Amino acid sequence: MGPLLDSVSMETDPQGWSPHEQTIARHAFDLAYGREIETLIHTLRYRCGSMGSVDAVWDLHDFLSGKRHEMDGRYDFRFATLLFVFANLVKDGLLSLDELEGLSSDKIAKISAMSRM
Amino acid sequence: MGPLLDSVSMETDPQGWSPHEQTIARHAFDLAYGREIETLIHTLRYRCGSMGSVDAVWDLHDFLSGKRHEMDGRYDFRFATLLFVFANLVKDGLLSLDELEGLSSDKIAKISAMSRM
């Protein structure tokens, strides 16, 4: 089960995230995850469609193993580290700062700064 | 690199396999491997073509991990265990006894008997 299907647990202001911010955060997080999965599905369709050799089969498996490991690390929905997670998603073009509108200006500023590092 | 691309090393009668039998064995082994890979590629094309969900992506990865493990175990080209390997391939419909023609009648009989166990 991927992050998209996890339930959103609304804690009361966990480490400075209001319920409204939590909703925005979860939506943005799922948006980025959905985009990355969509791109991955397109890549898989392309690779499988043109697959013609033994090596291509095991290369695909290696590729998927790497992608899974990478995404497991990237999509970690914990409020304690979420600013860093969002900064990486913005940096990698999977999310725009506009899509985080509604978070406090302090959070947006931190995410923006970290995304340019 | 899969078994298909391994070089055939012609030992002098290793554990009762003449050079002629070694050639036949290698050909039959590669034939079965090629068949299984071909089926796998068809399966991958089908699964990728109809892929529409997050779960399907990671299910495909799990499937490929299992298949790789299974095939690594199944395709073990060592003369000491080759009768058993062939018996399993025959049992699983990946090779017919006819395709082992040229091996000694003693070997064929052992493979045939083990394939029915």
Side-chain angles (χ1 to χ4, degrees):
Chain A
M1 184 180 289
L4 278 170
L5 303 176
D6 293 342
S7 63
V8 179
S9 65
M10 288 300 179
E11 303 167 45
T12 309
D13 203 13
Q15 299 173 59
W17 293 77
S18 71
H20 179 59
E21 284 184 318
Q22 290 179 50
T23 304
I24 289 166
R26 186 73 220 189
H27 179 73
F29 183 89
D30 289 348
L31 194 64
Y33 186 81
R35 279 175 184 150
E36 190 153 6
I37 285 288
E38 197 180 346
T39 302
L40 180 55
I41 289 175
H42 280 289
T43 304
L44 290 176
R45 282 193 187 132
Y46 177 77
R47 289 181 71 146
C48 287
S50 62
M51 183 173 276
S53 73
V54 175
D55 286 351
V57 174
W58 306 132
D59 284 350
L60 181 76
H61 179 244
D62 290 340
F63 165 74
L64 265 178
S65 298
K67 199 73 193 169
R68 194 171 197 169
H69 180 73
E70 180 194 316
M71 289 182 70
D72 279 350
R74 189 201 289 285
Y75 293 94
D76 182 7
F77 195 83
R78 287 178 295 157
F79 292 106
T81 51
L82 208 47
L83 294 182
F84 182 71
V85 167
F86 281 143
N88 272 329
L89 291 173
V90 170
K91 188 177 185 175
D92 292 345
L94 287 156
L95 207 60
S96 72
L97 286 172
D98 291 347
E99 288 163 336
L100 293 165
E101 197 180 303
L103 299 187
S104 70
S105 55
D106 177 55
K107 287 189 182 68
I108 296 281
K110 284 177 182 166
I111 292 167
S112 175
M114 284 193 291
S115 73
R116 292 191 302 271
M117 281 179 187
Chain B
M1 185 180 288
L4 278 170
L5 303 176
D6 293 341
S7 62
V8 179
S9 65
M10 288 300 180
E11 302 167 47
T12 309
D13 203 13
Q15 299 173 59
W17 293 78
S18 71
H20 179 60
E21 284 183 319
Q22 290 180 49
T23 304
I24 289 164
R26 186 73 220 190
H27 179 73
F29 182 89
D30 289 348
L31 193 65
Y33 187 80
R35 279 174 185 150
E36 190 152 8
I37 284 289
E38 197 180 346
T39 301
L40 180 55
I41 289 175
H42 280 290
T43 303
L44 289 175
R45 282 194 187 131
Y46 176 77
R47 289 181 70 146
C48 286
S50 63
M51 183 173 276
S53 73
V54 176
D55 286 351
V57 174
W58 306 133
D59 283 351
L60 181 75
H61 179 244
D62 290 339
F63 165 74
L64 264 179
S65 298
K67 199 72 193 169
R68 194 172 197 168
H69 180 73
E70 180 192 316
M71 289 183 70
D72 278 351
R74 189 201 289 282
Y75 294 94
D76 181 7
F77 195 83
R78 286 179 296 156
F79 292 106
T81 52
L82 208 47
L83 294 182
F84 182 70
V85 167
F86 282 144
N88 273 330
L89 292 172
V90 170
K91 188 177 184 174
D92 292 344
L94 287 156
L95 207 59
S96 72
L97 286 172
D98 292 348
E99 289 163 336
L100 293 165
E101 197 181 303
L103 299 187
S104 69
S105 55
D106 176 55
K107 287 189 181 68
I108 296 281
K110 284 177 180 165
I111 293 166
S112 174
M114 284 193 290
S115 73
R116 292 192 302 271
M117 281 179 186

